[in-house]
Amino acid sequence: MRVKFNHYLNKSLTPDEFKNYYFLKEELKDFCRKEGLKVSGSKQDLEKRIIHYLSTGEELKEDTIKQYSSQTSLEITLDSKLGENFKCSEDKREFFEKEIGKGFKFKVKFQKWLKANPDKTYRDAIGAYYEIRNSNEKTEIGKQFQYNQYIRDFFEDNKDKSLDDAIKCWNYKKSLKGHNKYEKRDLEIL
């Protein structure tokens, strides 16, 4: 039986200790708020800020602040080009919901398609959305989404278990030092 290490995010952790454990994005944001650090950005941005802070005791100075040009004043039509550096903004969500329906979601595979096809139109994007949605191919889960990958792997191996069981195993796993990939022995917590 593995020994559970009781860890929590605090400023006495070394950067190496921090890297050995999994923290939810909300836990990272709470830590940043408590320490007066920026809470905006992706989970990776937060981790980078925290590692710098744990190393130096100082806030990471962001070299540049990305300023995205607002395209809300431009009307989106079926024949509009997606454009470079596509962002999944609220105006674009509204457009797709109007064309596809309220069930529309910016799922990862569709987001990747949008970013990879700047010369395509919104009409093309709608066609791609339906193709992707109807595909049985599993979407690759990004490295930063360890929880999602763990839950998927848990259910592939344990079709008879509940989501509560999966979450118990996940919480146990993330409290241990090392990787957060599902293993059959994680079931020992049940």
Side-chain angles (χ1 to χ4, degrees), residues 10 30 39 52 54 56 76 81 90 98 135 143 158 167 174-175 177:
N10 64 68
D30 288 344
V39 296
H52 180 80
L54 293 175
T56 66
I76 300 172
K81 297 271 186 198
E90 196 54 42
K98 185 181 87 176
S135 166
K143 182 181 174 227
N158 300 286
I167 293 170
K174 77 174 185 139
S175 73
K177 192 173 185 175

Side-chain angles (χ1 to χ4, degrees), residues 61-87:
K61 299 294 180 211
E62 314 277 334
D63 290 11
T64 56
I65 298 172
K66 292 181 184 175
Q67 295 183 351
Y68 301 110
S69 60
S70 173
Q71 295 184 359
T72 54
S73 61
L74 300 175
E75 182 182 348
I76 300 172
T77 68
L78 288 169
D79 296 317
S80 298
K81 297 271 186 198
L82 297 173
E84 294 291 330
N85 302 315
F86 185 90
K87 302 288 180 247

Side-chain angles (χ1 to χ4, degrees), residues 27-185:
E27 292 173 306
L28 300 176
K29 288 171 84 172
D30 288 344
F31 176 82
C32 287
R33 275 188 206 98
K34 182 179 162 200
E35 298 301 322
L37 305 173
K38 287 184 177 181
V39 296
S40 61
S42 69
K43 184 173 181 187
Q44 289 145 332
D45 294 336
L46 294 168
E47 289 171 341
K48 186 168 65 170
R49 281 186 202 121
I50 291 170
I51 289 168
H52 180 80
Y53 180 74
L54 293 175
S55 299
T56 66
E58 298 175 5
E59 182 176 0
L60 178 65
K61 299 294 180 211
E62 314 277 334
D63 290 11
T64 56
I65 298 172
K66 292 181 184 175
Q67 295 183 351
Y68 301 110
S69 60
S70 173
Q71 295 184 359
T72 54
S73 61
L74 300 175
E75 182 182 348
I76 300 172
T77 68
L78 288 169
D79 296 317
S80 298
K81 297 271 186 198
L82 297 173
E84 294 291 330
N85 302 315
F86 185 90
K87 302 288 180 247
C88 301
S89 57
E90 196 54 42
D91 60 325
K92 293 170 184 158
R93 177 184 305 285
E94 287 173 13
F95 174 82
F96 284 119
E97 280 183 350
K98 185 181 87 176
E99 295 296 324
I100 293 171
K102 288 289 182 195
F104 169 78
K105 292 201 179 353
F106 276 123
K107 295 207 172 179
V108 173
K109 199 168 185 181
F110 183 54
Q111 288 180 35
K112 286 180 179 178
W113 187 93
L114 292 166
K115 291 175 193 285
N117 293 284
D119 294 329
K120 299 284 186 177
T121 65
Y122 281 79
R123 184 185 316 276
D124 298 326
I126 291 168
Y129 175 84
Y130 286 118
E131 279 182 39
I132 291 167
R133 189 183 73 178
N134 295 333
S135 166
N136 288 331
E137 185 182 323
K138 286 189 177 178
T139 305
E140 182 180 325
I141 297 175
K143 182 181 174 227
Q144 71 274 28
F145 302 112
Q146 295 177 37
Y147 170 83
N148 301 44
Q149 185 66 57
Y150 185 93
I151 298 299
R152 178 188 280 179
D153 295 345
F154 177 91
F155 281 116
E156 283 180 3
D157 196 43
N158 300 286
K159 296 186 185 337
D160 62 325
K161 302 284 186 219
S162 70
L163 180 57
D164 283 342
D165 292 336
I167 293 170
K168 276 182 198 165
C169 290
W170 163 251
N171 286 330
Y172 169 69
K173 184 66 162 207
K174 77 174 185 139
S175 73
L176 301 172
K177 192 173 185 175
H179 70 80
N180 292 310
K181 295 180 177 130
Y182 168 76
E183 297 174 300
K184 191 74 165 172
R185 66 182 176 180

